[in-house]
Amino acid sequence: MAEIGETTPPYLRIVGELRRRIMAGELGPGDRVPSTRQIVREWGVAMATASRALTALRQESLVRAVPGVGMVVTGAEPTTPGRGAASGGRRLPAQGLTRDQVVRTAMKIADAEGLPALSMRRIATELDVPTMSLYRQVRGKEQLLVLMADAAFAAHRLPRTFPPGWRAQLELLSRLQWSIYRRHPWLAQVISLTRPLMAPHAVAHTECALRALARHGLDQHTQLHLVAALANHVRGTAINLEQGAEAEQDTGLTDDEWMEAQADVFGGLLAAGEFPHLARLSRTAIDLNVESLFEFGLQRLLDGVAALLERVTTRTG
């Protein structure tokens, strides 16, 4: 193996060091390897460089991606370079590649490692096809993200029939969206209210929500703002899902474990007496997490819609 020096590309220096750790047994089978963010911090490189290093290790079959965990060591013995994991060691013919394969592979990467790890080159590596062959199926990453979002919503079909009543219908839609975000934490980073994606299966949720509020005396401005406020509550809360997953991957600690580790620091902050209300709350067993925030916010928003509809009914009755 050639000696790695200062003139070696940064990603190869990272690959060399991580390969050394694996070969030396410092990282054993099943152990998590540094995430892209940890590599960025440790080596001072760009996110793209960190992703390229992990991709190279995957090409050597030294590491593999585990959904919800990140990259883990598969073993120290490399296999023949150039054999992709997604094709079971057989190079896929580029002319046989489909758009669905590209989208599903992209979603698999994003589900396991987050959007920063997603690139056209990485998808091509997983499929073991030339990178340029992907552009026969998608125009670029922007269109790919739209297709990924649409596929995520399509996999969780809207019901054929909805329960009676606007509140039950809006609650059903909100919970369905929440389940989609939980399955695909990266999705909250893709969805935008100011620049909505032209993804038919996502747009269908807006249509159903507007239908739930129709014929209740609300003007169109109010209807659209209520629907957007509900969707934004779900999405805004869901943004924490990917951040939490990335933090857990980087630190190896769950949210509860991290809070326990910060107990002394938090206690010292409150002991100064500058935050008496927060200090009183800290002595009470309150379970605050993304699930409770989603549930509390959803019910309060729906309560607000109910109050608004009651005022409209009183005014027009």
Side-chain angles (χ1 to χ4, degrees):
M1 183 179 295
E3 184 177 353
I4 297 179
E6 290 302 319
T7 59
T8 305
Y11 89 94
L12 285 180
R13 292 202 296 271
I14 297 168
V15 170
E17 170 57 21
L18 293 178
R19 186 192 295 114
R20 183 199 65 76
R21 295 179 190 179
I22 293 171
M23 295 296 188
E26 296 175 20
L27 291 171
D31 288 346
R32 283 191 296 190
V33 299
S35 66
T36 51
R37 282 172 172 74
Q38 288 175 311
I39 291 175
V40 167
R41 289 197 299 269
E42 183 175 347
W43 276 276
V45 295
M47 187 71 74
T49 301
S51 295
R52 189 177 182 187
L54 292 177
T55 296
L57 288 171
R58 290 191 69 171
Q59 289 177 315
E60 296 183 24
S61 295
L62 290 175
V63 301
R64 63 187 177 90
V66 177
V69 176
M71 290 286 196
V72 301
V73 176
T74 55
E77 290 297 326
T79 58
T80 303
R83 294 197 166 191
S87 59
R90 293 178 297 131
R91 190 175 182 84
L92 292 174
Q95 64 270 23
L97 187 65
T98 66
R99 173 178 286 185
D100 183 65
Q101 284 178 302
V102 174
V103 173
R104 290 186 182 279
T105 301
M107 293 176 70
K108 181 179 178 181
I109 295 170
D111 286 343
E113 303 170 54
L115 284 180
L118 184 65
S119 67
M120 301 301 275
R121 177 178 293 179
R122 173 65 186 282
I123 297 168
T125 297
E126 291 295 313
L127 291 170
D128 199 15
V129 298
T131 302
M132 292 307 297
S133 68
L134 301 182
Y135 292 95
R136 300 192 188 105
Q137 307 301 326
V138 294
R139 292 190 298 272
K141 192 171 181 180
E142 183 176 347
Q143 185 194 23
L144 176 62
L145 291 174
V146 174
L147 294 171
M148 290 167 62
D150 195 54
F153 277 88
H156 297 73
R157 296 279 185 181
L158 288 165
R160 291 181 178 274
T161 58
F162 280 78
W166 65 265
R167 181 164 188 145
Q169 293 171 22
L170 292 180
E171 185 169 346
L172 185 152
L173 286 167
S174 297
R175 293 191 186 283
L176 181 56
Q177 291 164 24
W178 180 247
S179 69
I180 297 172
Y181 285 124
R182 286 201 65 84
R183 176 65 184 84
H184 306 286
W186 51 268
L187 184 59
Q189 305 289 341
V190 174
I191 298 296
S192 172
L193 292 179
T194 56
R195 298 186 179 185
L197 295 179
M198 298 299 104
H201 290 93
V203 173
H205 280 248
T206 302
E207 175 66 19
C208 289
L210 288 171
R211 185 172 62 229
L213 290 173
R215 297 185 297 278
H216 286 285
L218 298 173
D219 60 75
Q220 293 180 337
H221 173 90
T222 302
Q223 288 182 46
L224 184 57
H225 277 74
L226 287 175
V227 170
L230 278 167
N232 193 51
H233 165 65
V234 182
R235 173 190 169 274
T237 308
I239 286 178
N240 295 282
L241 296 173
E242 184 172 36
Q243 294 174 346
E246 290 171 352
E248 183 172 342
Q249 181 177 320
D250 288 347
T251 64
L253 300 174
T254 65
D255 289 342
D256 289 341
E257 291 169 341
W258 185 88
M259 285 298 295
E260 290 177 9
Q262 301 300 313
D264 291 342
V265 176
F266 191 52
L269 180 66
L270 299 181
E274 296 182 40
F275 312 106
H277 296 287
L278 191 57
R280 281 195 293 273
L281 283 176
S282 70
R283 294 190 290 270
T284 306
I286 300 177
D287 190 13
L288 178 66
N289 52 56
V290 290
E291 292 288 349
S292 66
L293 284 173
F294 164 72
E295 190 65 41
F296 182 88
L298 174 60
Q299 297 305 326
R300 299 298 75 76
L301 281 169
L302 293 175
D303 289 345
V305 176
L308 179 59
L309 290 177
E310 184 177 356
R311 287 201 299 271
V312 171
T313 301
T314 301
R315 187 169 64 246
T316 58

